Amino acid sequence: MNFKDYNIADFVSDESFQNYCLKKDSASTFFWERWIIENPEKKDEVDEAALLLKSLKFNGDGISGLELKQSKDKVRTRLENQFSSRNGKIVQLPKRKKIFNFSIAASVSILILISASFLAYKNWDRIGPQKNETSFRVKYIEKVIPMGKKSIITLGDGTKIKINGGTKLIVPERFGPDKRELFLEGEAFFQVARDEKRPFTIYTGNIATKVLGTSFNIKAYPQDERIQVAVASGKVSVAKETGHQQENPIYLKPNQKVDYNKEYNSLKVGDFDVEEVFSWRDNIIRFKDASFDQVVDDLERWYGVEFQVKKNEINGGYSGEYKNKSLENVLEGVSFALKFKYKIEEKIVIIY
Amino acid sequence: MDKKEVFTEMNKAALLEFYDSFYEDLFLYGFKLSQSKELTEDCVHDIFLELWEKGKNLADVSNKKAYLLKYLRRKIFLKMKTLHSETDLDIVKEIKFGLSLSIEAMMIRNQTNHEVSQRLNLAIQGLTNRQKEILFLKFQNGLNYEEIAEITQLSLRRIYNLIHESISSLKKYFNSITISFILMIQSVFYLF
């Protein structure tokens, strides 16, 4: 969208404009100062936007500076006591050194050297096997399917995966002798080849899905509120992971699904509508009483477009089914039902 | 003092330093989410204690503020959920995000300013809790959209849209007269 078409809300919502007003980066300042000189007819709107933006300062809702200070000291004292009475773990080395004070860095590294060898000596049993593990480090391949595309891959063990748009899959070059593991961000349908000796585990956020040989669908887009595992055949176990430990798994049978709510860290088991969950494999977009936000998310992934919503409060649920239809076709239907207008400009869809 | 103790002391000092720099931001965000001073204090306390027990080194985290705010948000929701023993998630969703503008901070108490302040606060109260929260993270904490998306687990587009919607509704309360008054007040404020 052209900046000349910007209204006040567009200006205030634009991050580079915000950075210019709040003097956060010089590139934005440079750009906007020049742009304002070149576009004097927009000056009034720019001024108003800048003013609105700068007046968005909020108060502490009845918490005074003094109260805040007292609260800070109180909690700090509590912490210090706890720190002294409980044992913390040994500090880990920062991966990137940011401080370049050489004298400190030197003395710290000597200290670390000494205590690392001290610890290694004391805990050889614990450190030994870990070291072994890293020496067998597996090489991983990253597979990214862009928005609007789908892909099918077959892994070395015969497992077939159909991958939906906007998905990242990380698979080892070769599976190990005792397990098969991969990482998923996005949505995919798995048909896992049976191998009793090597369980197949899929990691998504802090959910681990473990199977021997079955078919099931996982939907785990990072921006979604939930991760969903839905089983078509066989038996699947799903467990939350905290740190490196897995909690008690939940076992799912065919036609059962589990929803993991990221915000509340909760798992909920239920039945699901096969057509709704699996339809994407057959190139069918299906909405069942879907909110406007859900429709937008799905269409962005499906067609690889970006939505800009300029209309407030689009309410109501939408139901509909489209097979191999164009985006325009789908929007025609949705916009009629949910009462909005749209404009498609290449990869941008404007809702107004 | 043996080597282990030296490290323990170093870790303790480092964590307390982060505590000192982020407490205010954490407290204000937590208080707005929970509306409870005690609960917020407990949550901030638990976060730092957990970091301590896990031996987590914040120096490894590239964006400390966003990391801590996200951690706190989760913690508060979990704690509120356990407090509401009904475990009804809707209760948590109903929770208000308290937000009002601090025009009072401009320290000018004339009639017009009072009116502007009231009018704007009315407009703010009309926003949804989610909109208020995003506005707060953006304009109070100065986080960028990506960080806000990370904290709230929403998509970038939705963050942009939430800001855009909020500004559009606030704008209705801003007419050119009120604007010029605020401009005047602000320029007086800048003189100090």
Side-chain angles (χ1 to χ4, degrees):
Chain A
M1 191 148 115
N2 196 315
F3 295 125
K4 285 185 186 171
D5 299 331
Y6 261 26
N7 62 29
I8 291 172
D10 294 330
F11 280 122
V12 179
S13 311
D14 187 298
E15 275 210 297
S16 84
F17 187 79
Q18 294 161 4
N19 290 343
Y20 152 69
C21 287
L22 306 169
K23 307 253 178 303
K24 274 180 91 171
D25 78 75
S26 46
S28 308
T29 309
F30 179 77
F31 172 83
W32 284 104
E33 279 176 353
R34 262 194 17 198
W35 190 87
I36 291 161
I37 293 169
E38 283 163 13
N39 299 278
E41 74 281 2
K42 298 293 279 185
K43 192 177 178 305
D44 285 352
E45 276 172 288
V46 167
D47 283 351
E48 203 163 325
L51 196 54
L52 182 52
L53 203 151
K54 284 181 193 158
S55 51
L56 290 173
K57 289 273 170 262
F58 307 104
N59 66 24
D61 286 322
I63 300 285
S64 69
L66 180 67
E67 265 181 287
L68 194 54
K69 174 85 178 63
Q70 283 168 345
S71 151
K72 184 176 183 175
D73 293 343
K74 189 173 82 190
V75 177
R76 199 182 201 276
T77 314
R78 259 168 75 192
L79 268 176
E80 280 174 79
N81 290 338
Q82 298 272 18
F83 282 5
S84 321
S85 61
R86 300 196 201 186
N87 286 331
K89 263 199 193 163
I90 302 276
V91 70
Q92 295 160 358
L93 258 187
K95 276 170 200 132
R96 280 181 305 255
K97 260 186 220 146
K98 288 208 178 106
I99 311 158
F100 261 95
N101 184 329
F102 276 100
S103 61
I104 292 185
S107 54
V108 166
S109 55
I110 288 169
L111 255 179
I112 285 161
L113 214 78
I114 294 170
S115 73
S117 47
F118 173 71
L119 278 174
Y121 174 69
K122 283 231 62 150
N123 299 310
W124 185 249
D125 292 344
R126 267 199 308 155
I127 291 171
Q130 277 175 346
K131 213 175 135 202
N132 263 344
E133 218 168 79
T134 48
S135 63
F136 285 118
R137 183 163 287 169
V138 204
K139 211 173 144 195
Y140 286 95
I141 300 163
E142 197 176 296
K143 191 150 179 65
V144 178
I145 310 300
M147 301 262 197
K149 295 268 187 314
K150 289 186 188 64
S151 170
I152 299 177
I153 61 169
T154 306
L155 303 177
D157 66 335
T159 294
K160 276 202 185 66
I161 309 174
K162 178 154 186 180
I163 313 167
N164 206 350
T167 296
K168 186 159 97 183
L169 200 65
I170 300 172
V171 273
E173 209 172 39
R174 193 175 307 124
F175 287 127
D178 55 348
K179 59 188 173 191
R180 297 174 285 174
E181 292 180 326
L182 54 83
F183 301 87
L184 168 77
E185 236 181 64
E187 182 166 26
F189 184 85
F190 293 84
Q191 280 172 288
V192 174
R194 195 156 194 95
D195 185 346
E196 310 261 345
K197 287 191 192 112
R198 293 190 297 172
F200 195 105
T201 311
I202 297 137
Y203 295 99
T204 43
N206 50 346
I207 288 293
T209 306
K210 200 172 189 175
V211 299
L212 295 173
T214 54
S215 57
F216 54 95
N217 191 69
I218 298 190
K219 192 173 182 182
Y221 287 101
Q223 63 270 33
D224 284 357
E225 280 171 16
R226 55 193 67 222
I227 295 174
Q228 184 192 71
V229 180
V231 180
S233 69
K235 206 173 166 193
V236 171
S237 90
V238 178
K240 284 194 276 189
E241 268 201 322
T242 36
H244 280 292
Q245 290 191 317
Q246 284 186 8
E247 290 177 18
N248 289 345
I250 288 177
Y251 293 96
L252 297 178
K253 288 182 294 219
N255 294 322
Q256 276 193 323
K257 66 160 184 181
V258 63
D259 281 304
Y260 168 71
N261 186 311
K262 293 177 189 170
E263 190 153 84
Y264 309 117
N265 189 30
S266 60
L267 289 169
K268 202 176 128 207
V269 181
D271 299 333
F272 66 93
D273 181 347
V274 176
E275 283 179 5
E276 194 185 342
V277 176
F278 294 150
S279 60
W280 69 270
R281 289 183 303 157
D282 311 317
N283 290 321
I284 299 171
I285 311 187
R286 208 161 174 283
F287 300 109
K288 201 178 143 195
D289 199 27
S291 72
F292 176 67
D293 277 340
Q294 276 170 291
V295 172
V296 168
D297 277 346
D298 283 355
L299 293 183
E300 281 189 341
R301 279 172 207 145
W302 200 274
Y303 294 101
V305 293
E306 196 191 312
F307 277 70
Q308 290 183 354
V309 184
K310 310 262 172 198
K311 187 174 190 257
N312 280 346
E313 289 171 43
I314 300 178
N315 294 321
Y318 179 71
S319 303
E321 197 179 301
Y322 300 88
K323 185 166 185 176
N324 293 325
K325 289 280 177 355
S326 72
L327 173 62
E328 202 156 4
N329 240 311
V330 179
L331 279 172
E332 197 66 41
V334 183
S335 66
F336 179 74
L338 295 183
K339 298 185 186 59
F340 59 82
K341 293 197 186 95
Y342 67 92
K343 204 159 62 183
I344 305 179
E345 290 173 356
E346 295 197 3
K347 288 278 167 196
I348 308 266
V349 180
I350 297 165
I351 304 290
Y352 60 101
Chain B
M1 201 192 269
D2 73 12
K3 300 295 179 285
K4 190 179 168 184
E5 277 175 67
V6 173
F7 276 98
T8 311
E9 285 307 313
M10 276 167 60
N11 204 10
K12 198 187 283 185
L15 263 183
L16 286 173
E17 205 174 295
F18 288 122
Y19 171 89
D20 287 339
S21 12
F22 294 113
Y23 187 79
E24 284 83 358
D25 287 334
L26 287 169
F27 180 86
L28 286 177
Y29 181 50
F31 183 65
K32 281 176 190 301
L33 281 173
S34 67
Q35 317 275 299
S36 158
K37 205 177 146 195
E38 289 71 30
L39 188 132
T40 306
E41 285 173 347
D42 285 349
C43 286
V44 177
H45 171 266
D46 290 357
I47 285 179
F48 279 91
L49 195 61
E50 279 173 25
L51 289 172
W52 163 249
E53 284 178 335
K54 284 190 226 149
K56 171 92 185 165
N57 193 337
L58 273 179
D60 281 349
V61 178
S62 59
N63 192 330
K64 296 166 187 66
K65 187 164 164 183
Y67 172 87
L68 289 170
L69 289 175
K70 185 184 175 187
Y71 199 156
L72 178 67
R73 185 178 199 272
R74 230 177 111 97
K75 187 116 240 155
I76 284 183
F77 278 130
L78 281 176
K79 204 155 241 177
M80 288 173 96
K81 200 180 130 190
T82 45
L83 284 182
H84 294 286
S85 51
E86 298 95 323
T87 62
D88 187 357
L89 295 186
D90 290 338
I91 287 175
V92 180
K93 280 190 176 156
E94 284 296 303
I95 277 154
K96 301 262 182 297
F97 192 87
L99 190 68
S100 51
L101 281 176
S102 76
I103 298 224
E104 298 92 325
M106 291 170 183
M107 287 182 299
I108 294 174
R109 288 173 183 266
N110 62 38
Q111 194 55 38
T112 324
N113 179 43
H114 201 66
E115 228 181 86
V116 173
S117 152
Q118 272 184 334
R119 200 192 287 232
L120 268 169
N121 270 327
L122 205 67
I124 298 259
Q125 298 326 314
L127 298 176
T128 66
N129 291 321
R130 196 126 239 186
Q131 287 173 327
K132 287 184 205 166
E133 184 184 358
I134 308 289
L135 275 187
F136 179 77
L137 290 171
K138 174 75 237 179
F139 295 105
Q140 191 73 15
N141 282 296
L143 299 171
N144 64 38
Y145 287 175
E146 232 165 275
E147 292 163 338
I148 300 175
E150 173 63 22
I151 292 171
T152 56
Q153 297 285 301
L154 293 172
S155 69
L156 268 181
R157 178 192 47 75
R158 208 174 299 173
I159 301 291
Y160 175 88
N161 288 339
L162 282 165
I163 294 267
H164 197 278
E165 285 164 15
S166 326
I167 300 296
S168 301
S169 22
L170 288 187
K171 227 231 102 217
K172 291 182 211 144
Y173 291 79
F174 256 97
N175 59 42
S176 44
I177 302 166
T178 57
I179 286 282
S180 57
F181 271 114
I182 296 177
L183 190 63
M184 200 181 76
I185 292 159
Q186 280 205 334
S187 50
V188 172
F189 189 57
Y190 287 142
L191 287 177
F192 291 101

